[in-house]
Amino acid sequence: MKIVEQIKQPIAYEMDLFEQKFQLSMSSKVALLNRITHYIVNRKGKQMRPMFVFLVSKVVSNGEVSERTYRGASVIELIHTATLVHDDVVDDSNRRRGFFSINALWKNKIAVLIGDYLLSKGLLLSIDNNDFDLLKIISIAVREMSEGELLQIEKARKLDITEAVYYDIIRQKTATLIAACCSLGAASVKPQTQHVETMRKFGELIGMAFQIKDDLFDYGETQIGKPTGIDIKEQKMTLPLIYVLNQANKKDKRWLINSIKNHNKDKKRVKAVIAYVKNHGGLDYAIGKMKAFQAEALQLLETYPKSAYKDALELMVNYVIERKK
């Protein structure tokens, strides 16, 4: 059995019901809108975010979920989908999960409007049901994601990222959404309890590990094959690179920064940077940090009683850092 199916097993019923509710939450009186949202729903990814919501909800409440849990999962998926649609417009990307992106098929203007529509649907789903605590969790996540993206853009121009700033960026850009999933799961069944903060922290730690794993893919550390060097081409400062820059002597540092700033489209030069990072311990350092975040997340789970849901969450934490793509 595939690992994702294994993780889904204890919440299979909830995930099936969630899909029905999620489709309903997208519906509109405008035919074009329904055609596009139908296209989105049929090309869904692994649905890791709703899985976090349901598993956390069951872990903190001994197997319980509520209508609020379904709404929380729908809201997070609506908002996450909205950000992906907008990202594809910003990045001028024509593909998403192997299919054509919304902007590739329907052009930018419609894609931006679809993103806005999904965002408003998510907000209204919470407001109409008086889930103001869930709405606050989501709104904070959206604000932080925007700040994280802008901080990364600002820093990419100067290439002056320290390790601490890098953690700030990935905490806001990536970890905050997984943190929101986990705190939503807890808040949906145990509102205003310590579980909400514990699970927020748990999700944040997994998100940090998840992003470092993504950074490592750029160096071809797995079965996806050859190094891609895409982050270097886009002047993104990732942990392996930040580490070796901090360790390098003046001459090497100058060469590295010059390569990223002025020669990031030169394949040979990018290859040389990748080799330098590998040979100077950049990957090993990043893997060590990723595993430290993973261990801290698993430690937070220790306080909860053993159950199929807890086992699935542990499996999820391990999957985040062992995945091959």
Side-chain angles (χ1 to χ4, degrees):
M1 192 191 291
K2 277 187 177 168
I3 191 154
V4 177
E5 293 309 311
Q6 237 176 306
I7 295 165
K8 249 186 202 175
Q9 223 176 1
I11 49 166
Y13 170 77
E14 285 81 5
M15 289 299 289
D16 286 345
L17 189 53
F18 159 72
E19 282 194 32
Q20 296 165 31
K21 288 175 185 280
F22 182 57
Q23 283 184 17
L24 279 174
S25 70
M26 275 192 177
S27 65
S28 153
K29 292 191 177 84
V30 180
L32 175 62
L33 252 172
N34 286 333
R35 200 154 68 241
I36 298 171
T37 54
H38 181 73
Y39 179 83
I40 291 169
V41 167
N42 286 337
R43 280 149 194 82
K44 62 184 183 295
K46 296 187 190 80
Q47 294 188 303
M48 302 292 278
R49 286 153 196 85
M51 283 158 68
F52 271 123
V53 175
F54 289 115
L55 285 172
V56 166
S57 154
K58 288 192 162 221
V59 163
V60 303
S61 66
N62 297 324
E64 295 298 312
V65 296
S66 67
E67 273 306 313
R68 269 164 57 87
T69 317
Y70 287 100
R71 289 197 295 270
S74 292
V75 168
I76 206 99
E77 199 67 344
L78 282 164
I79 302 232
H80 174 58
T81 309
T83 61
L84 294 184
V85 173
H86 282 164
D87 279 353
D88 287 340
V89 174
V90 171
D91 298 338
D92 203 14
S93 173
N94 291 323
R95 312 287 290 182
R96 166 69 63 183
R97 296 173 182 141
F99 297 98
F100 283 116
S101 58
I102 303 299
N103 49 303
L105 292 172
W106 283 282
K107 303 287 177 269
N108 283 350
K109 185 175 182 179
I110 287 176
V112 170
L113 292 169
I114 286 288
D116 293 346
Y117 173 76
L118 295 174
L119 193 64
S120 65
K121 273 287 202 182
L123 301 178
L124 283 168
L125 185 60
S126 295
I127 292 166
D128 291 345
N129 292 283
N130 293 329
D131 297 330
F132 296 111
D133 55 335
L134 305 187
L135 182 59
K136 185 174 183 181
I137 291 168
I138 278 291
S139 301
I140 290 169
V142 173
R143 181 195 71 199
E144 294 206 329
M145 283 156 68
S146 309
E147 284 178 356
E149 287 285 358
L150 287 164
L151 179 60
Q152 185 171 46
I153 291 166
E154 180 194 342
K155 292 296 178 182
R157 287 178 181 156
K158 296 180 189 165
L159 297 187
D160 62 346
I161 293 191
T162 61
E163 199 172 317
V165 170
Y166 165 80
Y167 290 137
D168 280 345
I169 289 170
I170 68 167
R171 185 176 289 112
Q172 291 181 301
K173 217 184 81 161
T174 304
T176 192
L177 193 62
I178 299 175
C181 295
C182 296
S183 55
L184 273 179
S188 71
V189 285
K190 298 273 184 186
Q192 293 166 332
T193 62
Q194 184 52 43
H195 298 295
V196 181
E197 175 52 27
T198 302
M199 284 304 182
R200 186 204 66 76
K201 184 69 185 161
F202 169 76
E204 187 180 272
L205 291 163
I206 297 169
M208 302 292 276
F210 182 92
Q211 186 56 53
I212 296 172
K213 179 68 173 181
D214 259 14
D215 292 353
L216 289 164
F217 283 141
D218 207 44
Y219 293 89
E221 258 308 273
T222 64
Q223 291 168 0
I224 48 169
K226 298 184 188 78
T228 60
I230 288 168
D231 289 339
I232 294 165
K233 287 175 195 133
E234 292 178 357
Q235 299 189 351
K236 277 185 191 160
M237 299 292 281
T238 59
L239 190 56
L241 189 57
I242 291 164
Y243 173 76
V244 296
L245 267 173
N246 288 338
Q247 304 300 312
N249 60 41
K250 271 186 184 167
K251 182 176 162 232
D252 286 359
K253 196 171 188 171
R254 250 200 323 272
W255 173 79
L256 281 165
I257 287 175
N258 184 28
S259 301
I260 298 156
K261 263 192 170 167
N262 306 313
H263 304 280
N264 55 352
K265 301 287 187 280
D266 176 343
K267 280 184 183 168
K268 223 171 164 182
R269 194 74 171 253
V270 169
K271 240 183 189 166
V273 172
I274 286 172
Y276 184 95
V277 171
K278 282 185 172 178
N279 296 335
H280 289 77
L283 301 191
D284 293 337
Y285 181 78
I287 289 166
K289 288 290 179 186
M290 175 179 75
K291 288 187 170 168
F293 283 123
Q294 177 205 24
E296 215 182 318
L298 289 171
Q299 212 175 345
L300 282 177
L301 274 187
E302 282 302 299
T303 52
Y304 292 95
K306 191 163 171 52
S307 66
Y309 321 115
K310 182 179 166 179
D311 290 346
L313 259 189
E314 284 175 357
L315 208 54
M316 186 94 111
V317 176
N318 296 328
Y319 170 71
V320 158
I321 73 161
E322 285 158 16
R323 66 202 161 98
K324 303 293 182 231
K325 59 181 178 184

